[in-house]
Amino acid sequence: MDLPDLPGRPDLPGRPGLPGLPDLPDLADLVIQDADVVDGTGAPSYRADVAVKGGRIVAIVQEAAAAGCQRPRGMRELDAEGLVLSPGFIDMHAHSDLALLRDPDHGAKAAQGVTLEVIGQDGLSYAPVDDRTLAQVRQAITGWNGPGDDVDFDWRSVGEYLDRLDRGIAVNAAYLIPQGTVRALAVGWEDRPATPEELDRMRRLVAEGMEQGAVGLSSGLTYPPGGYADTAELVELCRVVASYGGYYCPHHRSYGAGALTAYAEMVEIARRADCPLHLAHATLNFPGNEGRAPELLALLDDALASGVDVTFDTYPYTAGCTTLAALLPGWAHAGGPEALSARLADAETAERIRHALEVTGSDGCHGVPVDWDTVEVSGVTDPALAGYVGRTIRASAQRDGEEPWATARRLLLDDGLGTTVLLHVGHEENVRTLMRHRAHTGGSDGILQGARPHPRAYGTFPHYLGHYVREWGVLSLEECVAHLTGRPAARLRLPDRGLVREGYRADLVLFDPATVAAGATWDRPRTPPVGIPYVLIDGRFVIEDGRRTDVPAGRAVRRVPVSR
C-alpha cells in the first residue's frame, strides 16, 4: 500500500535505510538496535539499527547484526528486540488546545505514542480573538476544554498562541484557524449572512493566521456561529487557505439525516475553492446510516478521480462525544451563550427547543429526533451535578420522576452549558469499512474533560494497533501505521516527519505488537495503554520504560511555506 497521491505535497528529503553500511556518525546520541522498522509508507517491515543524533535520524542500517558489518555506536544503545519502531503517531483531530498549556504531563496522548496533535478543531478555539470573543468562546466550549480559569490567556492572535506553545509542551501541535471563532470576531453570533465588509475582514483574519503558521482552516457546521455561514462564504475563506498551501477541515452540517448531502457540500467547496479537503471524524451515525459507509466512500472516490484532494480521519469507536448544548437547534444559539441560556430559562422558548429536539430533529442533533437513551452524561462543570455522570438522560429522568427534556434543560442551565455527553449512535460496520480506505487517517477527537470522558481520548492509537490490527485483522500492521503517520504527515505537508527515514526528525515510537492495547474502557476511561514502552520527540524520551518523563519536548509545528 502506497501513500496517497496528495497534490502539492513537498518532495520528501532523506532516504530509507539501505542494506550495508551508510555513512555513520562518529558517535550517535542514541542507537536503537535490532528493531522491526515499520517506516510509515506501508512498505513491509525490516530489521535495522537506527541511529539518532541532534534530534534527527542520522543512520539506518538494515540487518546490521546478521550482516556482520560495523554497527552504529551511540552514547546510549537501546535493545529493541521484539519491538516495532515506527514514526510517532499524528492525531489529526485533537481537542488539547488548553490541556497542552495546563498539563505538562499530558499523558493522555504521550503514552499512546502521539508525537503531534492537530488542534483548533471544529471551528471553535482560542485564536484569533478579542476580549469579547474570547469570553464567548470560553463559555461555548467549556465542555470540550474546561472553563480555562487555570490558564493565562496572554495571547490574542494565532501567532501569539503558537509562540505560547513554543515555551514547551508535552507533544508537538499544529493549529487550524477556527472558522466559527473568526466569524464570531468579524460578524458576531448572529444567524445571518455576512456583509461584504465582514467577509473581507474574515478573509484578512484567515490570511493573517496562515501567515503566522496555521496549517489550515477548521469548521464546526453544526456549532454556532460557524454553522451560520453559507456555502459561498466558506468557499471564499477556503480560497485564502488554498493560496497559502493549507487545507480545509470541516465538521460538516450533518452526520445523521442528510449526511451524504453534507459530505457532498464539503467536496463542492473544495472543488470550487481548489482547496485540499480533510473531513473531520468522518462517520455515518444514527439509525438511518447503518451500512452506508460504501456510499460515502463512492462519493470520495469520485471526488478523488475528478482531481479533488480529499483525505479524512476517524476514531476506532462507535460512540461519539460532544456537549449537551451542541444538540440544540442552531437558532437557539443565536446571540451567543448568554442568549442561549436566556432562551432555555424562558418556558415558551424552551418548549420550542424541546420540539425541535424530540419531534422534528434539530440541526444540532444532525436532523434526527433525539433518543435520550443514547445520550450519556460524561462530565459536568459543577461538582454538585456529579450524580448525573455515567447515566443516560432518560435514566436520570426516570430516577428523578420527570420527562427527559426537563432533566436535560435543568442540566444545561445549572451547569452553565458545560455538560459533556457521549452519543451511542454509531455502527461497527461503518467504522471498519471507513478505516480501510486509501484516504483514511487516524484522529482521536479526544475530549479530555469530565469524570468519564470517551476512552478514545486515552486509547485511540493503541486501540487501532491492538484491536483492529492484531485481534481483528482489519488492517495489516504496516497499513495501519501508514494511516497514523505517513499519510497525516503528507496531508500536513511536513517535509521531515511521519516516516522512519534518514534526515527526518526523530519523532519515534517503540511498541510491542503482541501486547499493545488500549487500557481505556468506558468504566475506566483514563487507564493508560499497554505495550508502548518508548516514545521520542526530536530524539528526546517523553515515555521511557513505560513511564512519562518530565521532558517538555513538544513545540508548535508551523505551516511549511509554499510559493504563491
Side-chain angles (χ1 to χ4, degrees):
M1 180 206 67
D2 296 325
L3 289 171
D5 182 14
L6 295 177
R9 179 183 177 184
D11 291 337
L12 298 174
R15 58 190 176 90
L18 300 175
L21 183 62
D23 293 332
L24 298 178
D26 293 335
L27 188 67
D29 299 329
L30 170 70
V31 176
I32 302 169
Q33 298 177 333
D34 295 322
D36 292 321
V37 176
V38 177
D39 68 5
T41 66
S45 64
Y46 58 89
R47 187 178 175 91
D49 290 353
V50 177
V52 174
K53 189 179 180 71
R56 292 187 179 269
I57 300 169
V58 293
I60 303 172
V61 182
Q62 293 193 30
E63 294 289 353
C69 64
Q70 178 188 351
R71 305 182 72 167
R73 299 295 305 276
M75 296 177 63
R76 176 176 177 180
E77 296 175 353
L78 176 63
D79 181 6
E81 182 71 37
L83 299 178
V84 166
L85 176 68
S86 82
F89 305 135
I90 298 176
D91 188 343
M92 287 295 286
H93 192 101
H95 288 283
S96 302
D97 307 46
L98 297 186
L100 283 164
L101 300 178
R102 67 160 64 95
D103 179 13
D105 181 80
H106 199 44
K109 295 301 177 66
Q112 293 186 60
V114 171
T115 57
L116 171 61
E117 298 183 273
V118 185
I119 56 178
Q121 298 285 352
D122 293 333
L124 287 168
S125 190
Y126 306 96
V129 292
D130 57 16
D131 291 349
R132 170 188 59 84
T133 304
L134 175 61
Q136 293 171 326
V137 169
R138 285 179 62 181
Q139 184 176 1
I141 56 176
T142 291
W144 293 358
N145 300 312
D149 296 337
D150 53 348
V151 174
D152 179 10
F153 288 87
D154 59 350
W155 69 87
R156 292 297 180 267
S157 71
V158 170
E160 289 168 346
Y161 176 69
L162 296 179
D163 288 344
R164 176 69 181 277
L165 297 178
D166 274 340
R167 297 180 196 174
I169 49 179
V171 302
N172 295 316
Y175 190 71
L176 294 166
I177 303 164
Q179 171 259 332
T181 301
V182 167
R183 198 174 209 272
L185 190 55
V187 181
W189 293 69
E190 291 118 8
D191 184 359
R192 62 170 176 81
T195 67
E197 295 76 17
E198 290 165 342
L199 182 57
D200 281 344
R201 188 181 181 199
M202 285 191 281
R203 287 194 195 99
R204 290 195 301 272
L205 287 166
V206 171
E208 289 168 4
M210 294 300 296
E211 289 170 358
Q212 292 165 6
V215 295
L217 179 76
S218 77
S219 285
L221 299 179
T222 65
Y223 301 129
Y228 301 145
D230 62 17
T231 301
E233 180 179 313
L234 296 170
V235 169
E236 289 301 309
L237 299 185
C238 285
R239 284 178 174 147
V240 177
V241 172
S243 73
Y244 286 92
Y247 69 95
Y248 181 43
C249 180
H251 163 131
H252 49 276
R253 299 189 196 274
S254 176
Y255 290 82
L260 292 174
T261 300
Y263 280 114
E265 181 195 9
M266 299 302 102
V267 170
E268 181 60 19
I269 288 169
R271 193 189 313 277
R272 287 167 56 183
D274 194 20
C275 183
L277 175 66
H278 181 83
L279 296 164
H281 40 61
T283 58
L284 281 164
N285 291 336
F286 300 93
N289 286 322
E290 186 171 3
R292 299 190 69 186
E295 296 176 57
L296 171 57
L297 296 182
L299 171 68
L300 300 185
D301 284 335
D302 288 346
L304 287 164
S306 68
V308 179
D309 179 3
V310 186
T311 52
F312 64 93
D313 63 72
T314 70
Y315 47 83
Y317 298 88
T318 55
C321 181
T322 188
T323 62
L324 183 58
L327 303 182
L328 307 183
W331 60 259
H333 293 264
E338 290 185 5
L340 171 59
S341 295
R343 292 186 179 100
L344 287 166
D346 178 73
E348 183 176 344
T349 309
E351 173 57 23
R352 288 180 58 208
I353 295 173
R354 182 205 65 79
H355 189 271
L357 264 176
E358 296 185 346
V359 180
T360 61
S362 72
D363 50 356
C365 199
H366 306 277
V368 178
V370 67
D371 177 356
W372 294 115
D373 283 320
T374 67
V375 182
E376 177 187 347
V377 176
S378 59
V380 292
T381 301
D382 184 349
L385 301 171
Y388 292 93
V389 174
R391 295 175 177 267
T392 66
I393 295 293
R394 187 177 300 281
S396 288
Q398 290 172 343
R399 179 196 62 188
D400 297 340
E402 60 188 7
E403 292 299 314
W405 169 241
T407 299
R409 180 188 176 198
R410 185 173 62 256
L411 266 174
L412 287 162
L413 288 169
D414 292 351
D415 206 26
L417 308 180
T419 304
T420 309
V421 295
L422 305 177
L423 300 177
H424 297 281
V425 294
H427 309 287
E428 180 62 41
E429 181 184 354
N430 286 347
V431 170
R432 296 190 208 181
T433 300
L434 291 169
M435 73 172 63
R436 293 187 181 103
H437 194 267
R438 61 194 173 104
H440 171 265
T441 67
S444 71
D445 195 13
I447 295 175
L448 302 168
Q449 289 300 115
R452 294 179 62 167
H454 195 304
R456 68 193 184 191
Y458 288 74
T460 286
F461 296 88
H463 197 51
Y464 266 118
L465 296 169
H467 191 58
Y468 286 96
V469 171
R470 184 180 64 247
E471 295 176 4
W472 283 7
V474 175
L475 295 168
S476 73
L477 180 60
E478 290 86 354
E479 286 175 326
C480 187
V481 168
H483 290 218
L484 307 181
T485 61
R487 287 184 180 182
R491 164 51 73 222
L492 293 166
R493 300 181 57 85
L494 302 178
D496 59 356
R497 300 179 196 265
L499 302 177
V500 179
R501 185 165 288 184
E502 291 173 12
Y504 274 46
R505 292 182 181 271
D507 294 354
L508 300 169
V509 180
L510 280 159
F511 63 89
D512 182 349
T515 63
V516 62
T521 65
W522 299 106
D523 292 330
R524 302 183 65 186
R526 287 193 171 89
T527 305
V530 297
I532 305 179
Y534 299 100
V535 181
L536 298 93
I537 295 177
D538 277 350
R540 304 167 72 191
F541 285 96
V542 295
I543 299 292
E544 187 171 9
D545 294 323
R547 294 184 296 274
R548 180 71 172 94
T549 70
D550 60 359
V551 175
R555 297 293 186 272
V557 174
R558 290 168 170 81
R559 176 187 58 86
V560 176
V562 296
S563 299
R564 298 181 58 196

